Amino acid sequence: MLKLFLPTVDSTNRYLLEHAAFLPHFCVLRAGCQSAGRGRFARNWVSPVGGLWFSLLLKHFPLPRNVIPSLLALAGLDVLEKLCGKGFWLKWPNDIVFSTGTPSADGKVAGILGQFCGQGEKGVLVVGMGMNINNAVPGKLDFPAVSLRDVCHQHREVVPVYFALLEAFQENWNRFEPGAWKRRVRQKSYFHAGERVSLHCALSEKRWEGTLVDTPVEALELVLDSGESKSFQAGDVRKVRVERGSSR
Ligand code: BTN
């Protein structure tokens, strides 16, 4: 695994996509900070010094491409659990959240952006992860952000977390087996069947509310209030508090 470091760059995802032709499979780039970090749905991702911002370049796909971002998220969960204990969950599709059971206090620790460029076998996938470690997090987000320092009340060195994460990801990659992967995703899911959630699709600017049919793995299925079932491949989901005495 070729490991590159830049003290500052606009976006590690963008850099790897631009230089993909000259870089090897499994090359990884970490930045001290990003001046134009990107989030899903073309949002900004605030990336000051103190956090972990990196991307992986993948050129060969012996396993399904769509599972790769979640292998990175699961690697992140394993590392965080070893470091700080329980309370970290996989929020569909690939976020890591810290939650101790009070949805209003839940916060996002890490997010993942997968970008595929090219076609078929010749295409390359860049998977970037942003993890709030010691950095200040932006306020006023749709889903609140938290840092590891906020939840563990301790300063953590960024580099050991990064190396542990790369090792865990490599192991998930080498040992990938669809059944075991699905079980792990279900086991670590922040969402469960029967919960009421709202899903916002940033591209269409539409919002849906309904009840989860099952724990989301690849897709998220909702039964809307109209009784209609709808399946989603992407979106921002959050739990909706059901008022006491409500018939829903
Ligand atoms: C999200 O939750 O919206 C995904 C955030 C992904 C952020 C990371 S930071 C490293 C890499 N470079 C980027 O520009 N974005 C990803």
Side-chain angles (χ1 to χ4, degrees), residues 30 50-53 133-134 155-163:
R30 181 174 79 87
L52 174 58
W53 328 114
I133 298 193
N134 305 304
H155 176 98
R156 299 281 175 185
E157 290 300 323
V158 171
V159 173
V161 176
Y162 173 53
F163 285 168

Side-chain angles (χ1 to χ4, degrees), residues 16-30:
L16 288 188
L17 283 169
E18 186 184 323
H19 298 94
F22 314 104
L23 293 170
H25 173 60
F26 249 106
C27 167
V28 59
L29 169 65
R30 181 174 79 87

